[in-house]
Amino acid sequence: MFMDITYKKLWKLLIDKEIGKGQLKELSGVSGNIIAKLGKDEPVSLESLVKIAVALKVDIGDIISLEEK
C-alpha cells in the first residue's frame, strides 16, 4: 500500500480564510517554487510546512494529509 501526499486541506483552508497563493508566499516567507510544488502535491521540506502552519496559525496536520493510491 502506497500513500500520496496531498495538500487539499491547505487549499480549503486558504479559501476559507480568503488568502491567495501570493499572500501565502508573503505571509510564510516560502518561495514561489515551494508554492508551485504544493500545487502539484509534491513533497516539500518540513521547514517549509512549519513556516506555512505558523503563518496560518494552524497545526501541520491541518494543511497536509496522506491519501491511499
Side-chain angles (χ1 to χ4, degrees):
M1 168 179 33
F2 290 100
M3 303 292 273
D4 284 334
I5 295 170
T6 182
Y7 303 102
K8 290 177 185 174
K9 288 180 174 182
L10 171 61
W11 306 127
K12 182 177 181 333
L13 185 64
L14 292 180
I15 290 168
D16 291 347
K17 291 182 175 265
E18 298 180 352
I19 297 173
K21 290 180 181 180
Q23 285 177 285
L24 176 63
K25 181 181 158 196
E26 289 178 23
L27 287 170
S28 63
V30 299
S31 70
N33 185 43
I34 296 297
I35 302 295
K37 284 185 170 193
L38 294 169
K40 298 177 195 169
D41 284 338
E42 293 179 359
V44 299
S45 72
L46 183 58
E47 179 184 1
S48 295
L49 293 174
V50 169
K51 285 180 180 181
I52 292 168
V54 168
L56 296 174
K57 298 181 176 118
V58 297
D59 189 77
I60 289 178
D62 295 327
I63 60 175
I64 185 173
S65 60
L66 298 174
E67 287 185 347
E68 200 171 327
K69 276 190 176 180

